[in-house]
């Protein structure tokens, strides 16, 4: 019954999606508004039906209804209840259903939010949503059915992939999928603007907050994924340039470029075609990432198994690219006659350069990701490029981005005067040079880490200096205290100050990556009970092995007493987990984190339990915690940028340009 309810709801939702595709066209040709109303009703109907289907699959997982093949493959009777729920996105069929569920939630929110606005655009916006929804529903209904049944039902299931039995898997896929799907909103509005030929700034202003939210979820999805890789996979790293990691990261790059370049269009009415192209590329990359993850064309620990859906996604990607850029070419005449750059020394030039660097990084990562496919097509043998390629190609680009983070928000629009440059950048540059010199005289001698620190210091001091000038101006004009002035400035220009906070978060991440990549220490040794391994200031003493039976696996833990210099910091117990359906054990690394460094222990192997000998790998990684702290700061900045604070009335708005002028000099 559960499978029948789920599959029927998907089929009915597919019919509504097809109707949602046709209704705007019929309405446009007949001029009858009822068809536009029907488009919104189709979206809301899909929302109800897909929600019913998703809840049906969750119900099947929770109740271990092994008559459903997907349930039998991804849960067991011993699986804890929360892992049964996460089984919804634990494999191919369920993850597509989750994707469709999030998509139709976004569609419903857009339909409800703009039910009385954008009457010209909305039918086409909802039609684009219905096209994407129809594609996913068709795949779910006919190519990758999560409600397929099996008879007779097995007495027990096979269970989740052991690597997915982690608390972070409750958040990582939903965050990432929300980011992917969120990009459908600006893409749908962009396509609607092209269809009706209204290519002014209206669609950008409408989707600004949606785009920021999608970008935030993409960022958090990647960061949580890095955290999962760090503490679950047990290799001591957080990013391996894995093809699926790259697939998740690539949409972030054009989305970030889009968030910057739309400001140029809003302010100067430039880059219209460029902005449309960026959001098309960003959305297309979400489909491309799905193709990579689900086609089996590339090997990855994150990928789902081979299946027919890969070819279907590739065909859909081709349709998206042809239709989107074909429509852009069709409307090319409406995109001519835009203003030109007044000067290369201006904010719009800095944002444009920021876009060039981001797209260069995207191309570099894209090329490295698909290189095995190219080499196989040309030479017959897939050849992978590893981390050295990605690091050497992207590090200079990301350093350039850090520099532009300092310059872009502070330099003047149109044409920066010498006085503007001196006022905004002289003291931050001097301060960053002093910090760099102090580090050089202290202990940092390598060029790239020093350059990275100097650029990060330049960003931070530029932001602090600019904010201090604005607060001082506010105090002079309005007589407010420091904190009230800061609050007033932030409330009246949320996007600017939210963006500056986000930049601070990215600086923390950059410093964390630089520190952990450049100054990690690693040692491995086999120890008997009572023996000690010294790594830097740490001494790790092996206390013995112990085994335990867990609900889904058998676990062997090594107990290691850790001292930092002479201070006892406790017992750490890395483990190996043995699952019935896995040939190799799954590691469970442990680590002790501080703001300055992480101590990371991996149990690489052990002798028979009674012999009490274990092979231990120890890593000391500086500044890793700064990466996760940066994520929290980015979340704060995004909240500041999008939160609907109550704005001041006209007097306040009229005052802001004066304050900005004073701050910018």
């Amino acid at each position: 019954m559960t499978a029948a309810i789920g599959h029927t709801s998907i089929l009915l939702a597919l019919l509504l999606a097809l109707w949602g595709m046709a209704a705007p066209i019929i309405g446009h040709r007949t001029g009858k508004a009822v068809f536009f109303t029907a488009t919104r009703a189709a979206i809301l109907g899909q929302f109800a039906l897909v929600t019913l289907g998703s809840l049906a699959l969750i119900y099947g997982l929770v109740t271990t209804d092994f008559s459903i093949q997907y349930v039998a493959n991804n849960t067991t009777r011993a699986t804890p209840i929360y892992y049964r729920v996460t089984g919804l996105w634990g494999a191919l069929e369920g993850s597509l259903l989750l994707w469709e569920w999030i998509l139709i939630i976004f569609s419903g929110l857009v339909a409800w939010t703009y039910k009385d606005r954008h009457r010209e655009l909305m039918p086409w916006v909802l039609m684009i949503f219905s096209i994407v929804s129809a594609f996913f529903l068709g795949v779910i209904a006919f190519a990758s059915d999560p409600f397929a049944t099996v008879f007779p039902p097995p007495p027990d299931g096979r269970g989740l992939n052991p690597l997915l039995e982690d608390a972070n898997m409750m958040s990582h896929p939903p965050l990432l999928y929300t980011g992917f799907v969120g990009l459908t909103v600006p893409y749908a509005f962009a396509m609607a603007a092209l269809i009706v030929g209204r290519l002014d700034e209206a669609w950008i202003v409408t989707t600004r907050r949606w785009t920021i939210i999608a970008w935030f979820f993409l960022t958090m999805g990647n960061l949580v994924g890095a955290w999962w890789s760090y503490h679950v996979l047990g290799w001591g790293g957080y990013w391996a340039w894995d093809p699926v990691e790259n697939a998740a990261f690539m949409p972030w790059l054009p989305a970030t470029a889009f968030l910057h370049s739309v400001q140029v269009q809003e302010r100067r009415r430039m880059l219209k075609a460029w902005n449309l192209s960026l959001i098309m590329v960003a959305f297309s990359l979400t489909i491309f990432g799905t193709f990579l993850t689900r086609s089996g064309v590339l090997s990855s620990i994150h990928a789902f198994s081979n299946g027919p859906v890969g070819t279907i996604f590739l065909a859909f990607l081709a349709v998206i690219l042809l239709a989107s850029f074909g429509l852009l070419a069709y409307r090319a005449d409406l995109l001519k006659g835009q203003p030109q750059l007044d000067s290369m020394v201006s904010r719009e030039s800095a944002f444009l350069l920021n876009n060039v660097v981001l797209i260069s990084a995207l191309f570099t990562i894209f090329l490295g990701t698909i290189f095995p496919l190219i080499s196989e097509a040309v030479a017959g043998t897939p050849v992978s490029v590893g981390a050295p390629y990605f690091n050497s190609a992207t590090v200079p680009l990301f350093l350039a981005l850090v520099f532009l983070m300092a310059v872009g928000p502070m330099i003047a629009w149109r044409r920066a005067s010498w006085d503007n440059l001196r006022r905004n950048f002289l003291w931050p540059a001097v301060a960053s040079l002093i910090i760099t010199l102090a580090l050089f005289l202290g202990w940092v001698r390598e060029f790239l880490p020093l350059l990275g620190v100097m650029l990060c210091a330049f960003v931070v001091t530029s932001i602090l200096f600019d904010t201090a000038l604005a607060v001082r101006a506010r105090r002079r004009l309005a007589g407010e205290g420091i904190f009230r002035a800061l609050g007033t400035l932030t409330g009246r220009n949320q996007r600017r100050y939210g963006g500056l906070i986000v930049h601070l978060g990215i600086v923390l991440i950059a410093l964390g990556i630089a520190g952990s990549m450049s100054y990690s220490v690693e040692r491995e040794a086999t120890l008997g009970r009572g023996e000690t391994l010294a790594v830097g200031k740490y001494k790790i003493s092996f206390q013995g092995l112990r085994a335990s039976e867990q609900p889904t696996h058998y676990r062997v833990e090594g107990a290691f007493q850790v001292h930092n210099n002479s201070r006892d910091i406790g017992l750490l117990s890395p483990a190996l987990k043995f699952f019935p359906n896995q040939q190799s054990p799954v590691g469970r690394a442990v680590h002790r984190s501080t703001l300055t460094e992480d101590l990371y222990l991996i149990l690489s192997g052990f002798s028979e339990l009674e012999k009490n000998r274990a092979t231990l790998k120890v890593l000391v990684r500086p500044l890793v915690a700064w990466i996760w702290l940066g994520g929290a700061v980015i979340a704060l900045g995004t909240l500041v940028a999008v939160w609907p604070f109550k704005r001041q009335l006209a007097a306040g708005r009229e005052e802001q340009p004066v304050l900005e002028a004073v701050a910018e000099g």
Side-chain angles (χ1 to χ4, degrees), residues 11 46 49 83 115 166 227 241 247 269 275 282 302 315 319 321 380 384 461 486 555 561 593 641 645 657:
L11 289 175
Q46 291 174 68
L49 289 166
Y83 288 141
K115 59 181 180 296
D166 179 78
W227 166 249
W241 294 110
R269 298 184 178 179
N275 286 325
H302 308 278
V319 170
L321 289 173
S384 299
T461 53
L486 191 58
R555 179 182 297 179
Q561 195 69 39
S593 294
F645 291 114

Side-chain angles (χ1 to χ4, degrees), residues 26 59 136 211 215 328 358 411 426 483 489 530 540 572 601 621 630:
I26 300 172
Y59 178 79
F136 275 92
T211 309
W215 179 90
L328 181 64
L358 283 165
I411 197 169
L426 177 60
F483 294 107
L489 288 168
I540 300 105
L572 296 181
L601 270 56
R621 287 188 165 271

Side-chain angles (χ1 to χ4, degrees), residues 391-540:
N391 290 336
S392 60
T394 58
V395 166
L397 294 171
F398 290 143
L399 287 174
L401 277 179
V402 174
F403 173 73
L404 291 169
M405 281 200 306
V407 175
M410 310 304 169
I411 197 169
W413 289 100
R414 301 184 73 91
R415 186 187 301 275
S417 65
W418 168 248
D419 187 55
N420 170 266
L421 296 176
R422 181 188 59 77
R423 186 182 180 87
N424 286 328
F425 300 117
L426 177 60
W427 289 114
V430 170
S432 59
L433 285 173
I434 292 173
I435 292 170
T436 307
L437 181 61
L439 285 174
F440 177 77
L441 295 176
W443 60 90
V444 179
R445 299 300 172 89
E446 292 80 7
F447 173 71
L448 279 179
L450 270 178
L451 179 61
V453 169
M454 184 179 71
L455 293 174
C456 287
F458 189 39
V459 175
V460 174
T461 53
S462 297
I463 292 173
L464 294 178
F465 189 69
D466 176 82
T467 305
L469 287 179
V471 169
R472 188 179 68 176
R474 181 77 203 169
R475 295 187 69 191
R476 285 178 178 174
L477 292 174
E480 296 177 345
I482 292 176
F483 294 107
R484 184 172 181 183
L486 191 58
T488 303
L489 288 168
T490 304
R492 291 182 175 175
N493 202 342
Q494 290 178 240
R495 185 159 55 148
R496 174 176 177 77
Y497 287 97
L500 293 179
I501 295 171
V502 168
H503 283 185
L504 291 176
I506 291 175
V507 163
L508 285 173
I509 292 173
L511 289 172
I513 292 172
S516 58
M517 286 181 62
S518 304
Y519 298 102
S520 288
V521 177
E522 180 177 326
R523 284 199 61 189
E524 186 170 21
T526 299
L527 304 174
R529 176 179 283 179
E531 293 181 332
T532 298
L533 174 65
V535 182
K537 60 185 178 181
Y538 294 100
K539 290 184 177 178
I540 300 105

Side-chain angles (χ1 to χ4, degrees), residues 592-605:
R592 183 64 59 92
S593 294
T594 67
L595 277 179
T596 55
E597 64 187 17
D598 279 19
L599 174 68
Y600 195 98
L601 270 56
I602 304 167
L603 182 63
S604 301

Side-chain angles (χ1 to χ4, degrees), residues 279-322:
I279 201 60
M280 291 174 192
V281 170
F283 175 73
S284 301
L285 284 170
T286 66
I287 303 299
F288 176 73
T290 313
F291 159 71
L292 276 186
T293 312
R294 290 158 177 84
S295 64
V297 297
L298 293 174
S299 175
S300 167
I301 193 170
H302 308 278
F304 293 106
S305 58
N306 298 353
V309 299
T311 306
I312 301 172
F313 270 90
L314 191 60
F316 185 56
L317 176 62
V319 170
I320 288 173
L321 289 173
L322 285 173

